[in-house]
Amino acid sequence: MRGMVGRACTAGLVIGVLVTGLTACTGDAGGDENGKGRKSGKAEAKACADGTFAWSRVTKRDRLTGVSDPEWLGEGGGSLQNRMRRVYTPRPSVRADGPAPSPAEILFSFGKKTGDIDSDARTLAEVDGDTWAFTDARLPAPDLDDGRVTPHAAGEYVQYAGVREVSADFRYTCPDGRTVSGHARNWTVDISGLTDCDERPDSALAREVARHACP
């Protein structure tokens, strides 16, 4: 794998990555006067084929996902024992205001826009062989214990983890002129590092670490 929907129709609740308008929960438990069942409700809405995406307001932001309490190490450093606690869980998100392609197709187009997917294929359905974690609408957050760092000098350290989150608005235009608007979000880079509470934070991520961990 390169690079880096569940659905319930109960009381109007949709669980999982949401793309509105893809399906409708319809049905009628009643029947006609002869006891035969009858169909009711609106026809299921479907996304058009061969549409085109236009992306706007693309943003990238480093998000802190986990941080440890400060820990003092003596001369020569060593392994840190304090475990990180989670402060944010990144999740892929896709939503649209009408019938749209699948979340994976939307994320494929988004990944090409951000440069996280390198492919000449026009759609994910046309891809032959390659796969990308970026198109997985259920991509799990990275484990906080991955990429732990061992310092080799004395000091009071805080270990942290983060991701680079990307988001953008999209407009999907059908060949007949119909359009659907929406928003997508995903994460790309798995970040890990150390900081010292005595040092001046030099980035937005470092300042967030200090707010969570330093006195």
Side-chain angles (χ1 to χ4, degrees), residues 177-202:
R178 289 177 296 147
T179 62
V180 177
S181 298
H183 185 83
R185 183 185 71 235
N186 209 342
W187 60 270
T188 58
V189 180
D190 188 1
I191 301 167
S192 62
L194 293 175
T195 190
D196 189 324
C197 287
D198 291 333
E199 296 179 355
R200 182 182 181 87
D202 59 357

Side-chain angles (χ1 to χ4, degrees), residues 58-59 67 107 181 183:
V58 179
T59 62
V67 64
L107 291 173
S181 298
H183 185 83

